[in-house]
Amino acid sequence: MQDGQPQEAGAEIMAASETAEDGPPATSDLPRNISDADAFRILWEMKMKKRQKCPSLPETVTELGTEEGSKVYIVGTAHFSDSSKQDVVKTIQEVQPDVVVVELCQYRVSMLKMDEETLLKEAKEINLEKLHQAIKQNGVMSGLMQMLLLKVSAHITEQLGMAPGGEFREAFKEASKVPFCKFHLGDRPIPVTFKRAIAALSFWQKVKLAWGLCSLSDPISEDDVEKCKQKDLLEQMMAEMIGEFPDLHRTIVSERDIYLTYMLKQAARKTELPRVSETEPRKSVPSIVVGVVGMGHVPGIEKNWNTDLNIQEIMSVPPPSTLNRIITFTAKVTFIGLVGYGCFCVGKRTVQLILSVPATQYCLQRLHEMGVWIF
């Protein structure tokens, strides 16, 4: 998908992701030798029986509705939290949704397929290969900024010993257990977000932000993470961020609030009941949707819920300014120069080291005595 084509992004919203499960993983509870029509009917009835009319939901869940009668349950989570995982599991089990939408894009969907141990290892490792991939995907400035944010994530991961995104993996697992439940990726593509964020900052703001991310080393406790589930503390943190980097907050938080809201509203369209054959009449019912997003996005989703949204503007990537092009060119030249100078110094030092070895000096002396000139 190209960054400047929101139409394609909209199409991907409505399609289940490549990792989605459109039905139950097993039908061992069904009688044998039954028709497809009976199987569909039984599975749908099983789902309706499990669906609670008055679900008992965690305090972190916000309920929204549509004019068509669909219901959307938004689970606000802390991305490094066992409690958030439990909230997601309980919500999906209680409401038996037709669609589950998570705060991920296609560039981060791989975390759904990895086990916790692999993710923990990946989150802690920041190497040149990842840097090259980030720059290739997002450009020099956006790639470097992405690596700095990965450094922050790695710091939290190391402090807590917990891989990020556990609530999304739990949502994926639980969605696969619900008959006829689709799994949608609901976040704006990360290259678009980073490019718009970099374009929104002045040069000195970029320097200040980079320095703040590089110097992050304060210890983080599990209590600190769980405090993020308190709306008053979260809003205070957001207010501090707005005061320092208002344009960054707009691109990384506010615009994604709009995108997530748009995605959730698309998912909340009426659900077409499963059909045995193409000749069977189409029937639709109001949908039940579960959204799994960071707690910081919940107020913005509530604010935008009853607004007509157009994501075309927030999907476009503004062209880099002249200053940004100069900085990017300078950064590239400096990087190449440093690499070249490093290779020269290493090579020169290596030659000097080899020549200083007694065995090498002896061989050179013998060659000299034999009349063989090396230099």
Side-chain angles (χ1 to χ4, degrees), residues 51 69-73 95-100 267 271 286-290:
R51 179 178 289 175
S70 298
K71 292 183 179 181
V72 179
Y73 300 93
V95 305
Q96 294 289 297
D98 303 303
V99 186
V100 171
T271 296
S287 296
I288 300 294
V289 179
V290 170

Side-chain angles (χ1 to χ4, degrees), residues 181-243:
C181 181
K182 294 181 180 180
F183 190 88
H184 289 191
L185 304 176
D187 204 359
R188 183 172 65 180
I190 198 168
V192 178
T193 297
F194 276 120
K195 288 176 182 178
R196 287 183 62 84
I198 291 298
L201 295 177
S202 67
F203 172 74
W204 292 114
Q205 284 178 321
K206 293 171 187 174
V207 172
K208 187 175 182 180
L209 177 63
W211 175 257
L213 293 174
C214 287
S215 60
L216 179 67
S217 60
D218 295 335
I220 301 171
S221 67
E222 293 188 22
D223 289 340
D224 292 332
V225 176
E226 292 304 322
K227 285 179 181 178
C228 288
K229 298 176 75 173
Q230 301 174 12
K231 288 189 177 181
D232 55 342
L233 177 62
L234 190 67
E235 288 173 1
Q236 180 183 344
M237 293 169 61
M238 287 295 102
E240 293 175 359
M241 184 177 180
I242 289 173

